[in-house]
């Protein structure tokens, strides 16, 4: 991908796979640690949540984003126990993928108890690839954002590829962006799904600067349309990492859903790839 902005200062490396960003105005701090979306370890978390968290911590992961599971949002742990487990391992629970549904009040209360700042709606809550539906969804997102703000939380949305389809000449993701309040709806941009949707993340960093406080850093096999280890797919990860300031990113969660071997081995590869940058 072509670097269309001048934020090309390369990141340096500290110990334990933790990337330190150059001090050129990134978000709110000069350092930023990599996190992982726990859906990457979904089967392992369901079988042994605490043991899996220990493995994740051992490879230098510092931030956690949970996901809905058959055992709830915290894989059978209470929100407080999940918070404690992460803290004991030197990690912090920053976000969680949830549904915007009839149980959202309980979901918010759990998030408050867990200490996580973000609640991210993980997929489109209503069907309909139309401008009208996306405008209705935007209204619902603004309302959810208001409800979260009252409790000290931040609400956001995670894209897949289908949001980049068009209706009547309008890109649906752009409709969502244009009709949500940036103060209430904080976008988590899944970079892998953006390129599968035929778009360039850099274009969105330019069109909506600072609107993406969270990323899913995910490389994609463009033939199979599925995730793969870093450096094996179609995402220009180096260029993405050089353009963090434009996006406003504060938390980068690595996510991988398919693996060459095991989730842990793939995640080790990904951390080593980032360290080599």
């Amino acid at each position: 991908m072509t670097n269309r902005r001048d934020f090309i200062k390369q990141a340096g490396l500290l110990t334990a796979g933790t990337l330190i960003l150059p001090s050129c105005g990134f978000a709110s701090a000069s350092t930023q640690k990599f996190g992982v979306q726990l859906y990457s370890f979904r089967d392992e978390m369901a079988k042994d949540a605490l043991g899996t968290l220990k493995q994740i911590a051992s490879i230098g992961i510092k931030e956690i984003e949970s996901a809905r599971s058959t055992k709830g949002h915290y894989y059978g742990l209470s929100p407080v126990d999940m918070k404690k487990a992460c803290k004991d391992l030197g990690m912090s629970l920053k976000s969680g993928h949830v549904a915007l549904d009839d149980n959202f009040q309980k979901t918010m209360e759990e998030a408050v108890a867990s200490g996580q700042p973000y609640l991210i709606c993980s997929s489109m809550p209503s069907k309909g690839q139309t401008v009208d539906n996306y405008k209705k969804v935007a209204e619902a997102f603004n309302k959810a954002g208001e409800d979260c703000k009252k409790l000290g939380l931040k609400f956001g949305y995670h894209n897949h590829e289908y949001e980049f389809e068009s209706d009547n000449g309008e890109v649906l993701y752009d409709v969502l962006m244009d009709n949500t309040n940036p103060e209430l709806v904080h976008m988590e941009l899944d970079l892998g799904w953006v390129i599968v949707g035929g778009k360039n993340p850099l274009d969105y960093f330019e069109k909506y600067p600072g609107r993406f406080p969270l990323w899913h850093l995910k490389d994609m096999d463009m033939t199979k349309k599925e995730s793969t280890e870093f450096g094996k797919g179609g995402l220009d990860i180096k260029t993405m990492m050089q353009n963090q300031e434009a996006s406003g990113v504060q938390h980068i969660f690595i996510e991988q859903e398919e693996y060459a071997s095991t989730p842990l081995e793939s995640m080790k590869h990904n951390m080593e790839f980032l360290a080599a940058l």
Side-chain angles (χ1 to χ4, degrees), residues 24-255:
C24 57
F26 288 138
S28 60
S30 62
T31 64
Q32 186 168 4
K33 299 164 182 142
F34 287 113
V36 69
Q37 162 53 249
L38 289 179
Y39 189 74
S40 303
F41 292 86
R42 53 196 176 276
D43 294 336
E44 291 75 11
M45 286 297 297
K47 294 174 184 176
D48 181 6
L50 293 177
T52 302
L53 288 172
K54 288 179 182 177
Q55 289 185 322
I56 291 170
S58 74
I59 61 173
I61 297 292
K62 296 299 182 183
E63 297 187 346
I64 294 296
E65 182 176 58
S66 65
R68 289 181 294 159
S69 74
T70 57
K71 293 185 176 181
H73 293 123
Y74 306 103
Y75 311 93
L77 300 175
S78 72
V80 173
D81 287 343
M82 183 67 172
K83 177 182 179 180
K84 183 179 185 301
C86 289
K87 182 178 180 181
D88 289 347
L89 293 168
M91 301 187 295
S92 58
L93 181 65
K94 295 296 186 183
S95 179
H97 274 202
V98 301
L100 186 57
D101 55 17
D102 293 338
N103 296 316
F104 192 64
Q105 180 64 38
K106 180 182 178 182
T107 298
M108 289 190 294
E109 292 169 358
E110 289 179 345
V112 171
S114 78
Q116 70 190 61
Y118 285 94
L119 277 178
I120 303 297
C121 180
S122 58
S123 59
M124 189 59 48
S126 63
K127 296 180 179 180
Q129 291 295 89
T130 66
V131 169
D132 286 345
N133 183 55
Y134 274 64
K135 286 182 177 179
K136 291 177 182 177
V137 169
E139 291 179 11
F141 283 177
N142 287 330
K143 175 62 168 58
E146 290 178 353
D147 293 340
C148 281
K149 188 174 183 179
K150 292 175 183 176
L151 295 177
L153 300 168
K154 295 179 180 180
F155 176 81
Y157 181 67
H158 164 271
N159 65 278
H160 291 83
E161 84 285 5
Y162 51 78
E163 294 91 341
F164 298 97
E165 295 175 3
S166 295
D167 178 48
N168 289 327
E170 295 187 66
V171 177
L172 294 171
Y173 190 76
D174 296 28
V175 173
L176 202 60
M177 294 294 294
D178 293 339
N179 288 277
T180 48
N181 183 341
E183 299 299 317
L184 299 175
V185 182
H186 308 270
M187 292 299 188
E188 179 174 65
L189 196 67
D190 189 307
L191 305 182
W193 285 124
V194 174
I195 63 170
V196 170
K199 305 299 181 182
N200 187 334
L202 298 184
D203 293 334
Y204 281 91
F205 299 167
E206 182 173 10
K207 186 174 182 179
Y208 302 103
R211 287 288 305 271
F212 309 101
L214 303 98
W215 283 3
H216 271 192
L217 190 60
K218 178 192 298 177
D219 208 351
M220 299 294 288
D221 182 319
M222 299 300 287
T223 300
K224 296 180 179 179
K225 307 300 182 185
E226 64 181 35
S227 58
T228 187
E229 288 76 22
F230 287 178
K232 297 181 181 180
L235 182 68
D236 186 345
I237 295 174
K238 183 176 181 179
T239 297
M240 295 301 105
M241 297 305 295
Q242 291 170 342
N243 284 270
Q244 295 176 70
E245 184 178 29
S247 76
V249 69
Q250 299 175 30
H251 304 284
I252 297 176
F253 298 107
I254 302 168
E255 183 182 41

